Amino acid sequence: NTPNCISLHPCGLQLAVGYAECLRLFSILFRTLKPLHQFPLANCHALKYANGGHQFACGAGIQVVVYSAISMLQLHNFTGHVSPITCIDWAKDDLSLFSAGSDGALCGWDLVDAAQIEPVSQLNGTSQFCSLVSQMSIHGEHSGPVGIVVGATLDGMLKEAKWTIRSQEHAQVRELWVTSSAPKIDGQDHGATLTALAVASSVQSLVAGTSMG
């Protein structure tokens, strides 16, 4: 079967693979992969281990399902998307996670209260996200933790959403067109699409990979 998505455990000894009909975990051995567990979770197109490696989240259709990587038990099942989920990322403290759908919708999920964070309604109906990264989860001076998420979309934009977790405040959104430096071919500009994002450990810069390498 052709995998839809994969995620490597932070320790490098376990691999999660999403297929059309199920989700499988493998132990990574010296020369092979050993099947470890199988979950009856269909249409998994987004997958990500928590930073601590103790849990992993799956985007299966319009559901975000969180499992324990130790007991293999389901811990959470979040619903709120109306179109298939395309990418997932965890907050740095692993107390919340974020997901984006093919319709441009961006949602946050609070694992402490097992509830949805105020959705970013301003992005509904916009271009599909192809990559998502959580910059940080910090505490405001007079408020709760603040989530900051940056996503890359198929129309060549970077979109940042910032909101206070466990509050009724609406998210703040910033958008930036990404200028391509790709050479022109036959007089036409063949711009590259951002396909992967990562935040540097200093949290001062954002690294991006493109469809042109």
Side-chain angles (χ1 to χ4, degrees), residues 23-183:
L23 167 67
R24 294 190 179 106
L25 293 190
F26 298 90
S27 292
I28 301 177
L29 304 181
F30 180 58
R31 294 181 181 275
T32 187
L33 297 177
K34 179 181 178 181
L36 182 63
H37 198 82
Q38 180 169 311
F39 303 86
L41 192 68
N43 300 316
C44 180
H45 286 274
L47 193 57
K48 191 69 178 286
Y49 275 97
N51 298 291
H54 58 300
Q55 299 175 7
F56 59 93
C58 317
I62 60 174
Q63 301 178 81
V64 176
V65 186
V66 181
Y67 290 98
S68 168
I70 301 171
S71 66
M72 308 301 172
L73 296 177
Q74 180 178 306
L75 304 177
H76 302 283
N77 190 335
F78 297 113
T79 57
H81 283 280
V82 296
S83 64
I85 297 166
T86 58
C87 42
I88 288 178
D89 196 55
W90 290 78
K92 298 306 178 185
D93 57 9
D94 287 338
L95 297 180
S96 56
L97 60 91
F98 308 92
S99 58
S102 59
D103 61 349
L106 177 62
C107 295
W109 313 99
D110 185 348
L111 301 185
V112 176
D113 295 336
Q116 182 179 11
I117 303 169
E118 177 70 25
V120 187
S121 57
Q122 302 97 309
L123 297 179
N124 291 355
T126 58
S127 181
Q128 174 180 326
F129 281 91
C130 52
S131 183
L132 196 68
V133 65
S134 170
Q135 281 187 290
M136 65 187 75
S137 182
I138 59 177
H139 282 75
E141 184 176 353
H142 303 292
S143 62
V146 177
I148 303 177
V149 179
V150 177
T153 60
L154 291 179
D155 60 359
M157 294 190 73
L158 281 176
K159 299 183 180 182
E160 179 193 68
K162 175 182 178 181
W163 62 88
T164 303
I165 299 173
R166 303 184 200 105
S167 77
Q168 299 301 316
E169 298 179 12
H170 292 292
Q172 304 173 31
V173 176
R174 293 194 302 172
E175 297 182 338
L176 173 68
W177 285 104
V178 180
T179 303
S180 172
S181 58

